[in-house]
Amino acid sequence: MTAPSAFVTRVLLVVSRIPPGRVATYGDVAALAGRPRAARAVGTIMRTAGRGGLPYHRVVAAGGRIGGYGGRPQVKAALLRAEGLVVRGTRIGSFAGCRWRPR
DNA sequence: ACCGTGACGGCGG
DNA sequence: GCCGCCGCCACGG
């Protein structure tokens, strides 16, 4: 069992803290994990780490766009709608309103 | 240790 | 408002 890097651990921790009905961008997660420019790396981590019972569907791309999710943005959109979010096509409605901002 | 890959971000056309 | 290019960073072979 290779121990996950500190960065990976932080990323997973941040994702686990995103409340239902709220979302955070890959860039947000990267910044909260201590690497403001590692948004792409966050995507890599989620892809490799796979699922761990974490709300990965609450992590969206910049501007509230729905991306990633193993090439299944529809499934992701459905999960977000189930939490009360408004999703139009590949985008989240009132993105600014549901964006998670930890203090 | 090097190189290619990718669930990204920002800017320009 | 959508499409494409380049830059960024960690992962895996």
Side-chain angles (χ1 to χ4, degrees):
Chain A
M1 287 288 286
T2 60
S5 69
F7 181 62
V8 171
T9 303
R10 292 192 191 99
V11 168
L12 299 182
L13 180 57
V14 170
V15 174
S16 70
R17 292 170 63 187
I18 306 175
R22 295 283 180 97
V23 295
T25 69
Y26 291 92
D28 289 341
V29 175
L32 292 170
R35 298 273 183 255
R37 298 182 232 177
R40 197 166 187 177
V42 170
T44 300
I45 291 169
M46 291 183 165
R47 182 171 61 75
T48 58
R51 299 150 197 183
L54 296 173
Y56 287 125
H57 59 283
R58 292 176 195 149
V59 182
V60 301
R65 291 180 297 103
I66 307 290
Y69 220 74
R72 282 161 189 198
Q74 318 178 25
V75 177
K76 192 170 178 179
L79 289 169
L80 292 173
R81 283 189 178 120
E83 297 187 354
L85 297 187
V86 178
V87 182
R88 297 155 18 211
T90 61
R91 280 200 173 165
I92 295 179
S94 64
F95 166 60
C98 57
R99 188 177 187 179
W100 179 53
R101 291 291 213 171
R103 319 180 259 151

